[in-house]
Amino acid sequence: MTIGPSSRVFAQRLSLVESPGVTTLEEDWPIFWERASGWTVTDTDGRDYIDLTSAFGVANIGHAHPDVVAAVQHQSATLMHGMGDVHPPAVKVRLLETLAGIAPESLTLGVLGLNGGDAVEAALKCAAIVTGRPGVIAFGGGYHGLTGGALSVTSRRDFRDPFSARVSALTTFLQYPRTEAEMGYVLTDLDRRLSSKSSGLLPCGALIVEPIQGRGGVVVPPSGFLTLIRELCDRHGMMMIVDEIFTGFCRTGHWFGVQFEDVIPDLLCVGKGMGGGMPLSACLGHSESLGAWPAATGEALHTATFLGHPVSCAAAIATVAVLQKESLAQRAKTIGEHIRRVLEDADIGEVRGRGAMQGLVIGDGERAIRAVKRALAHGVVLLPSGDHGEVISLTPPLTISPEALDHALNTVVDCVRSV
Ligand SMILES: Cc1ncc(COP(=O)(O)O)c(C=O)c1O
């Protein structure tokens, strides 16, 4: 199966109306989506695909979950848009209360946004306001979004270099550790540099970290990493920002990845799966982080036209209820175990990850993309990850049926073997 004729026509039409810097258009890529339900996506040629990406890790509860559709329909007919930080929609309050109920203890305050990058902007601004120190520590391979502040803590050169003159130089990048030895070296060295007046490090107010690097290639750090970072941040008066935009909302088998170590960050960024398919993100914090912002007196310190968008808020409340009702954190664990078993038995590359966030290390980006394209031609949507696209990410909807998952995994194995 190659890309269908309708998708080819849409690609041609898109090339005339969108900046070429946005969508990659090739002979065998992309397909154009017409509709999606659960784990099945249908393209404009009427072909069905199993989505092993959850569309960038968003469709944790599946595409177009009926409870979310009902909430969106009701909310849009009732109040489509409000005045987020001036005359707020009531549903914004209900959502923030819901988030306070599921977030790790003490993270009961929030600032809402639309994209993940918005949550990261809020967190970085918060650290700057509260500590008065502009420097930030981030990790190589980390991905936090492409807006100004978020780009400044995202390490990939191909995203940063075209804007190098504008990207803040206030970030120090460290190696994201894969072994205990690396972790010991990286954190001890950082501790030493933060303690020394002559290290050349800028005064740092924050450290930002992903519990598992998603776009960086599904890299799982050694256990104890977040705990050591928590201690280091406490010792040096830095805000610990944990970016759970990918790992949050049950993806890895807990509500949040920090819960594997019982660590409470100062700021927790969430997005993607939170809105059940509607655009929504949040930076969550406690009384000494978000609570320490000066009170708004007429102008918000940080806001946007669509802050607290009512329809997204209603969708997120419904999404949380579905995650709870369908025990999807537990299901993420089962899915992860199954993926690992099938791929490890097939012996086609290292498998790593946690819960329903797994990566198959192909090692060679060109081979990985050939496998991804072949899988697409055989009805499975996949994405490569890693700085060179050398890892195939597997992040299916947590609602996927065992039969669909098995079928898709067999396709992945066949496609990887054949390229
Ligand atoms: C960990 C992480 N942080 C931030 C972002 C940025 O989110 P968005 O693309 O919604 O701005 C992403 C997106 O993939 C992500 O994976």
Side-chain angles (χ1 to χ4, degrees):
M1 186 160 87
T2 54
I3 300 307
S6 170
S7 281
R8 282 179 201 278
V9 170
F10 272 107
Q12 167 62 18
R13 286 168 57 184
L14 187 64
S15 73
L16 301 176
V17 290
E18 185 182 56
S19 160
V22 180
T23 308
T24 300
L25 300 173
E26 292 169 351
E27 188 62 17
D28 48 3
W29 188 272
I31 54 164
F32 283 76
W33 292 22
E34 189 70 64
R35 50 181 181 274
S37 169
W39 55 87
T40 308
V41 172
T42 308
D43 72 5
T44 52
D45 287 284
R47 295 172 175 176
D48 287 341
Y49 301 80
I50 297 174
D51 179 12
L52 286 192
T53 69
S54 298
F56 308 128
V58 167
N60 291 10
I61 61 167
H63 293 276
H65 191 288
D67 292 7
V68 174
V69 172
V72 164
Q73 282 171 340
H74 175 75
Q75 186 61 50
S76 54
T78 312
L79 177 71
M80 176 89 83
H81 171 61
M83 294 181 73
D85 63 301
V86 176
H87 301 302
V91 68
K92 174 177 99 164
V93 183
R94 290 188 203 111
L95 172 63
L96 287 168
E97 287 169 351
T98 302
L99 294 177
I102 58 166
E105 180 199 340
S106 82
L107 301 182
T108 55
L109 302 175
V111 173
L112 297 176
L114 292 181
N115 289 297
D118 299 343
V120 173
E121 300 296 334
L124 294 173
K125 277 185 169 180
C126 179
I129 294 168
V130 176
T131 68
R133 281 177 268 141
V136 180
I137 309 287
F139 288 90
Y143 185 88
H144 302 287
L146 300 184
T147 49
L151 181 59
S152 76
V153 290
T154 290
S155 77
R156 257 174 62 177
R157 299 287 301 269
D158 49 340
F159 291 129
R160 297 169 63 88
D161 283 357
F163 310 103
S164 53
R166 297 187 56 86
V167 177
S168 149
L170 299 173
T171 309
T172 301
F173 287 100
L174 305 180
Q175 184 184 357
Y176 192 80
R178 292 164 192 240
T179 63
E180 292 212 355
E182 277 174 10
M183 176 168 79
Y185 169 76
V186 167
L187 296 185
T188 310
D189 185 56
L190 176 63
D191 196 21
R192 186 186 51 75
R193 289 166 73 193
L194 287 168
S195 307
S196 148
K197 290 211 164 47
S198 56
S199 69
L201 262 191
L202 279 162
C204 284
L207 180 150
I208 182 164
V209 63
E210 293 161 83
I212 295 174
Q213 286 191 334
R215 289 202 60 182
V218 196
V219 185
V220 185
S223 67
F225 180 51
L226 296 177
T227 308
L228 290 174
I229 288 182
R230 177 69 276 177
E231 287 167 12
L232 202 125
C233 285
D234 286 343
R235 217 163 27 251
H236 296 282
M238 297 189 300
M239 295 253 150
M240 177 178 182
I241 305 172
V242 176
D243 180 345
E244 296 245 21
I245 288 160
F246 209 147
T247 50
F249 286 81
C250 302
R251 170 65 46 201
T252 65
H254 273 301
W255 275 98
F256 303 103
V258 287
Q259 288 164 328
F260 281 90
E261 291 190 35
D262 270 337
V263 162
I264 313 232
D266 299 298
L267 295 158
L268 183 79
C269 298
V270 287
K272 290 193 185 280
M274 171 180 171
M278 291 296 289
L280 189 65
S281 66
C283 171
L284 305 177
H286 51 60
S287 56
E288 288 167 33
S289 55
L290 288 184
W293 291 27
T297 53
E299 283 291 3
L301 198 54
H302 178 83
T303 188
T305 305
F306 292 110
L307 178 138
H309 192 269
V311 184
S312 292
C313 290
I317 293 170
T319 300
V320 169
V322 171
L323 287 163
Q324 280 164 334
K325 189 173 71 182
E326 299 186 14
S327 305
L328 292 181
Q330 183 52 42
R331 179 93 183 96
K333 288 185 188 156
T334 315
I335 288 174
E337 283 158 16
H338 190 69
I339 294 177
R340 292 184 78 91
R341 205 163 35 243
V342 172
L343 295 184
E344 280 170 358
D345 282 354
D347 197 19
I348 48 174
E350 182 200 344
V351 188
R352 63 192 186 204
R354 193 174 275 155
M357 185 169 182
Q358 299 287 332
L360 173 64
V361 183
I362 303 295
D364 164 357
E366 284 180 19
R367 186 165 167 246
I369 193 67
R370 281 203 302 278
V372 166
K373 286 181 172 177
R374 185 162 290 215
L376 187 68
H378 287 86
V380 176
V381 182
L382 292 170
L383 278 176
S385 60
D387 279 2
H388 308 287
E390 70 282 9
V391 178
I392 295 178
S393 290
L394 301 127
T395 58
L398 310 181
T399 51
I400 192 168
S401 74
E403 297 75 27
L405 182 59
D406 261 336
H407 177 77
L409 290 174
N410 289 336
T411 305
V412 172
V413 170
D414 289 347
C415 291
V416 170
R417 284 200 174 125
S418 68
V419 291

